Amino acid sequence: MMLDTLGVGLLGTRTAVFNKALKYSQSFMSYERSSVWGKSETTLPPHYAAFVNGIAVHSMDFDDTWHPATHPSGAVLPALLALTELLPSRPSGLDLLLAFNVGVEVQGRLMRFSPEAYNIPERFHPPSVVGVMGSAAASAKLLGLSPAQCTHALAIAASSAGAPLANAATQTKPLHIGNAARRGLEAAQLAQLGLEGNPEILDKDCGFGVYYKDYSPTAMPHSASGNFKWMLEEQNVAFKRIPAHLGMHWVVDATLAARVKLEQTVENFDLSKIRAVTLRVPPSKYIDCPVPTTEHQARHSFQFNCCSALLDNKVTVSSFSEAQVNRPELKELLSKVRVETPEDNKPSFDKMYCEVEVETDQGQIHTARCDTFYGHWRKPLSQEDLVGKFSVNASSVLCTEGVEGVIDVIGNIERVRDSSALNSYLRMTSSQHEQFYSRSLHGF
């Protein structure tokens, strides 16, 4: 999870939303400074380093997804890495790993107190709610706060939680992750200074319960009781192969299978001969975008990802560029797509499926279905493919030494004496990326 998060975060430093947030954040001054990933000379006040690095992680919707539905890592790791450079006694790799686990664990515990949380969200973006709590808990752990201070850190963080789904499929959505990382770190540091909140914040309907209609918390087993188990032992985490909303992965895999059937039955088949495409997907208000006009809308469009896979026989990072989104042949194919939401197709990343039906001008119908895509927790990426994804993403920004250094540190994290060394590798940029950054910054 840490390696994947760093890889998509490094790739995300090439996006417009990251560079806009970076320019904004550079207006703030502090004697304390933390690293910005993928920038050899740039540092920021710790909260803003966590902010922009968190934005980078989610800028392409390429980061990990958990069940219940949230993006667990991006809200936690940027805050922790910002902290590692500040503490006088530098945390070890094991300290960093434990704090990261705490941050993810808290998110999972809170979401499992609500059956509603298991479904694709309807009202708010989950990382903006549970992510800030995870960031606060992880930061509190790394800071060594007392139990009472940890309680207040969560209470403070809860007052910075929440973001409406109306901003999904826009440049603002990545800010949800950045804000969670930043605000959680701030909450822990404020609690360290003695600021207090309601110690019953997790127990009250008017506390954390305001975010879930069916929130029903239960007491955790004490670690000394022998009944405590880490939720991460179940490891229900999905790693993405394409930079898009998780639901798109079912669509792409089903579409590619349908395309194979077309090619096998119709010699020299021309995609212009498609009469209609039917998608059978779960109901969702924010990932049904019939005619996307921006990259962020395209990342949340069943229709776009299906048509891109039909046209190109693949979906990649470049599929979401402005030129690809606006090509005429794609728009023509989009006009032939209709979406159905069968009653048995549940809006849950654990239960949903996608069925793609392609009808030709000759009346031939080819159907393919995906119940579990490669990268889902039921069909996890191999370690080789996970490292391969990181290497491709990171090498777009870092030099070879930086890429290999991050892989080595994360792979041996339990034995690393000073976890802040990771930031050194994250700043080892290639000259080509620095030139790209210099050019792009002039455009904002």
Side-chain angles (χ1 to χ4, degrees), residues 102 269 351 380 386:
V102 167
F269 181 73
K351 299 177 181 178
L386 186 67

Side-chain angles (χ1 to χ4, degrees), residues 336-356:
K336 301 176 182 180
V337 179
R338 67 182 181 126
V339 171
E340 296 179 354
T341 54
E343 288 187 6
D344 69 333
N345 202 351
K346 303 301 181 184
S348 163
F349 293 140
D350 204 41
K351 299 177 181 178
M352 68 172 282
Y353 66 85
C354 173
E355 192 170 88
V356 176

Side-chain angles (χ1 to χ4, degrees), residues 354-372:
C354 173
E355 192 170 88
V356 176
E357 179 182 286
V358 181
E359 181 181 357
T360 70
D361 285 346
Q362 302 299 316
Q364 295 176 310
I365 295 177
H366 298 279
T367 304
R369 171 168 164 155
C370 176
D371 293 294
T372 305

Side-chain angles (χ1 to χ4, degrees), residues 166-178:
N167 273 326
T170 73
Q171 281 192 333
T172 296
K173 189 187 179 196
L175 270 65
H176 300 169
I177 300 288

Side-chain angles (χ1 to χ4, degrees), residues 8 29 34 41 85 121 153 188 191 195 226 245 267 311 374 399 412 424:
V8 299
M29 301 298 296
S34 295
E41 303 296 335
E85 297 181 282
L195 189 69
H245 183 277
E267 188 175 354
L311 286 172
Y374 180 48
C399 65
N412 297 283
S424 300

Side-chain angles (χ1 to χ4, degrees), residues 220-230:
M220 286 174 56
H222 193 278
S223 58
S225 69
N227 296 321
F228 179 85
K229 287 187 65 176
W230 288 89

